[in-house]
């Protein structure tokens, strides 16, 4: 058999998908961060399942987090089924369960996996020599997206002198520390029992984080790519 035919018959490796445009990346990355803020589903195995391998449903105990996840997935063209369960006796609470219909699960998995992988690389990879103006503008927006997800769905840890969140995902905790630096805010990472506490000081640092993560009623995402 000729060498040329051997090369032609060799199975091709799967091609790397093209990178997401900046606006789509911000939405997919924030959705992935919201997912990583939630506890994994109960399974018989003692190993913690990776977020990208979880079932295509997620539960939030805060309406704001569920609403934000629905908003992000809508912009990613992923439909969601939203169920609300009310529980408790003396102290009532709501549990919001978001599920992706079966036929849309592959698109959902691809979007969140790509968003997490690309967003993580942008924030933890360090500055890129000769980075474009667009990239320099979007990296703080990705940092704000991670903090917004953590404040909405993570464990709040608010004290008089700090604003903090409890995160069980180690990589997300590292991203929050790095993201705070991109927002010109020093953050501390404190290991806890089964979680990580990421906190910033009260005062100007706290206000900068809250201002960066706020979404006003007139907020319109910038859809430019670069």
């Amino acid at each position: 058999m000729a060498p040329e035919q051997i090369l032609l018959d060799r199975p091709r490796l799967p091609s790397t998908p093209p990178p997401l445009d900046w606006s789509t990346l911000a939405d997919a990355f924030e959705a992935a961060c919201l997912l990583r803020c939630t506890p994994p589903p109960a399974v018989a195995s003692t190993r913690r399942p990776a977020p990208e391998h979880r079932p295509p449903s997620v539960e939030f105990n805060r309406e704001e987090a569920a609403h934000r996840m629905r908003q992000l997935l809508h912009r990613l063209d992923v439909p969601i089924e939203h169920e609300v369960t009310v529980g408790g006796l003396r102290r009532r609470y709501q549990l919001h369960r978001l599920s992706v219909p079966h036929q849309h699960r592959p698109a959902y998995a691809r979007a969140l996996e790509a968003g997490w992988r690309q967003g993580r690389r942008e924030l933890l990879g360090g500055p890129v020599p000769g980075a474009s103006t667009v990239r320099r503008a979007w990296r703080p927006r990705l940092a704000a997206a991670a903090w917004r997800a953590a404040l909405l769905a993570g464990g709040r840890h608010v004290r008089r002198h700090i604003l903090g969140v409890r995160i069980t995902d180690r990589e997300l905790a590292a991203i929050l520390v790095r993201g705070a630096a991109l927002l010109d805010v020093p953050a501390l990472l404190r290991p806890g029992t089964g979680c990580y506490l990421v906190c910033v000081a009260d005062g100007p640092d706290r206000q900068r984080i809250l201002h960066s993560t706020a979404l006003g009623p007139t907020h319109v995402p910038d859809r430019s790519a670069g």
Side-chain angles (χ1 to χ4, degrees), residues 63-204:
E63 182 179 3
E64 296 85 353
H67 174 75
R68 182 59 178 166
M69 188 68 156
R70 287 187 61 181
Q71 183 182 51
L72 293 169
L73 293 181
H74 174 74
R75 297 209 294 242
L76 295 169
D77 294 324
V78 176
I80 280 290
E81 298 171 355
H82 187 178
E83 301 175 63
V84 180
T85 303
V86 179
L89 297 175
R90 298 181 61 183
R91 299 184 62 181
R92 306 292 285 177
Y93 67 88
Q94 288 186 342
L95 189 64
H96 297 262
R97 180 181 179 87
L98 305 181
S99 303
V100 179
H102 186 271
Q103 65 272 28
H104 297 280
R105 292 174 186 178
Y108 164 78
R110 286 194 300 269
L112 266 64
E113 182 181 356
W116 174 255
R117 182 178 62 249
Q118 192 175 335
R120 177 185 180 279
R121 183 171 63 245
E122 287 291 338
L123 293 182
L124 296 184
V128 178
S132 67
T133 302
V134 175
R135 170 169 270 162
R136 290 196 298 269
W138 272 99
R139 291 180 75 229
R141 299 187 195 185
L142 293 177
W147 268 96
R148 182 161 47 247
L151 290 171
L152 284 173
R156 291 284 188 100
H157 186 84
V158 181
R159 295 292 184 269
R160 179 179 299 180
H161 61 292
I162 65 168
L163 168 66
V165 287
R166 292 187 181 92
I167 301 294
T168 58
D169 187 280
R170 181 174 60 182
E171 286 188 300
L172 180 55
I175 282 174
L176 292 177
V177 174
R178 176 58 182 162
L182 286 171
L183 298 173
D184 297 323
V185 175
L188 294 177
L189 175 61
R190 299 175 180 174
T193 303
C195 68
Y196 301 89
L197 175 63
V198 184
C199 56
V200 301
D202 194 14

Side-chain angles (χ1 to χ4, degrees), residues 211-225:
H211 176 75
S212 299
T213 59
L215 288 177
T218 59
H219 175 82
V220 178
D222 184 354
R223 292 284 169 185
S224 61

